[in-house]
Amino acid sequence: MERKILSVLLPNYNNGPYLKEALDSVFSQTFTDFMVLFVDDCSTDNSLEIARSYSDKRLRIIEKSENSGIVDALNAGLELVDTDYFIRMDGDD
């Protein structure tokens, strides 16, 4: 995959009711040179199922092995940012 200019860092924990709308809003932008780093913090709802339903190659799903909170999820995502810029978005935005 070619390197993108922007990463969208999206930490997630049980945002299933809002997640499809949030992801759809990101993928419907006119700017397309981005990737989404979706960091799931051991959700117990259908969040992962929703994220996996997307076939967009700009979506990278990271599954943490234990729930440790939003700060740790953000740090896990930040370690994977390989773009010039990044922005943060919540799964219920």
Side-chain angles (χ1 to χ4, degrees):
M1 175 178 10
E2 76 179 63
R3 187 173 184 271
K4 301 292 184 186
I5 291 176
L6 174 74
S7 291
V8 178
L9 180 53
L10 198 158
N12 178 75
Y13 179 72
N14 289 347
N15 288 308
Y18 318 100
L19 191 55
K20 181 174 182 345
E21 187 175 359
L23 287 171
D24 286 350
S25 74
V26 172
F27 289 121
S28 68
Q29 299 299 308
T30 56
F31 180 80
T32 60
D33 194 15
F34 65 86
M35 67 179 301
V36 175
L37 295 170
F38 178 86
V39 183
D40 188 74
D41 195 22
C42 296
S43 293
T44 58
D45 67 356
N46 63 339
S47 293
L48 275 173
E49 180 181 323
I50 292 167
R52 289 182 185 135
S53 73
Y54 286 79
S55 59
D56 196 303
K57 293 182 181 186
R58 296 172 294 175
L59 176 62
R60 181 170 177 194
I61 299 171
I62 297 96
E63 296 179 53
K64 293 182 56 227
S65 59
E66 65 181 59
N67 179 274
S68 55
I70 191 168
V71 173
D72 191 58
L74 286 168
N75 285 333
L78 282 172
E79 289 179 14
L80 301 172
V81 170
D82 183 28
T83 55
D84 296 332
Y85 305 99
F86 81 92
I87 60 173
R88 188 174 122 35
M89 178 175 179
D90 287 318
D92 59 355
D93 283 350

